[in-house]
Amino acid sequence: MVQPYLSVVIPVYNEEETLPFLCERLFKSLDALHKTYEVIFTNDGSKDQSLAVLKQYYQRYPDKVRIIDFHGNYGQHMAIMAAFEKSRGHVVINLDADLQNPPEEIYKLLEKMDQGHDYVGSYRDHRKDNIFRTYISKLMNWVRATLTDIQMRDQGCMFRAYHRHIIDKIVASQERSTFIPALGYKFALNPAEVEMRHEPRVVGSSKYSLYQLIRVSFDLITSFSLVPLQLFTLFGMAVSGLSGLLVVYLLVRRLMVGPEVEGVFTLFAILFFLVSVVIMGIGLVGEYLGRVFQTLSQRPRFVIREVIEDKNIGKGA
Ligand code: UDP
Ligand code: MG
């Protein structure tokens, strides 16, 4: 089995309705490129018929389709990670299953790669998600740009191309709870970005709840920056300094004016504020500690039930 030029990696979670539309357009676009390719789908514990649909496409294109069937739902980034591990292409492209990233635009990523870039990200022209999602995403982009040295216009856009050397480094890093586009960027020597059309989801709805979006954002920040912890230290130092001044001031007042009890509510307001900051700080430390725990526990990041692929694949390149 020769190494294909291109590996296309697609995480799938309850996408039975979208998959036929996706495959229809994807294979047509890939054939039009006249390059050798493979498509790796990771079924991320779907509860619908996604796996059955994928198997139909495997029957149809056994030399091109490979399926990784996860034992449970490990999340989009781990689904991509598993497919990266299996991928063989010289260039690896990741896209969503829901057709929000049009497969017809894959050529744009490859054109940029041909210009000598080893990482080609993308940003969505006019984002077709609800206003709430769009604003959360803008905020998270700002937080990432402020706290980390990762520079990209649109971190939420997963439609990206990675050179084999980056994929090998991502796989070797054995990260968990990570954010793949940011990790890839870390290893890129010559990154670039292109604009992509963004389409509304054809069928089904977003697989992310608000809680999961928050979790992914935490993964992004805590994986790539210690700045939040350092900000807490700085804040603590500033508050200590101010409190010290307040103590001196109150002491002087005590001596000059005598005992006073007014201003209790102001005191409570300040106290509540500081206690909430302390609780947040404990949570933040917990985020980092949790990551250390996960890494040290050395459990597998995901469990694969089955890999459905042509038997000859993987038997030497
Ligand atoms: N996805 C996944 N596991 C999950 C959630 C999502 O594999 O736990 C896949 C999903 O099937 C899709 C991609 O990740 O291919 C992006 O998900 P979605 O379109 O729901 O995210 P959004 O576009 O709302 O950010
Ligand atoms: Mg989507």
Side-chain angles (χ1 to χ4, degrees), residues 154-185:
D154 186 3
Q155 65 202 17
C157 188
M158 304 295 290
F159 198 11
R160 285 161 202 269
Y162 306 84
H163 186 277
R164 167 74 16 215
H165 88 85
I166 296 183
I167 296 293
D168 291 342
K169 291 182 181 88
I170 291 179
V171 170
S173 70
Q174 286 294 313
E175 290 223 9
R176 52 188 71 219
S177 322
T178 192
F179 196 85
I180 303 266
L183 189 57
Y185 181 90

Side-chain angles (χ1 to χ4, degrees), residues 9-15 18-19 22 42-46 50 70 72-80 94-101 124 127 129 133 156-158 198-199 201 203-209 212-213:
V9 163
I10 306 179
V12 175
Y13 180 55
N14 295 343
E15 303 280 9
T18 340
L19 286 173
L22 168 74
T42 306
N43 177 37
D44 187 18
S46 300
S50 295
F70 269 2
N73 179 238
Y74 293 93
Q76 181 181 5
H77 293 263
M78 281 304 111
I80 297 168
N94 170 218
L95 77 159
D96 289 349
D98 60 357
L99 281 173
Q100 291 202 268
N101 312 134
R124 299 168 270 201
R127 200 167 161 181
D129 284 319
R133 270 298 293 273
C157 188
M158 304 295 290
H198 191 234
E199 297 185 355
R201 227 177 200 280
V203 273
S205 53
S206 172
K207 309 297 176 229
Y208 276 98
S209 62
Q212 282 166 321
L213 282 177

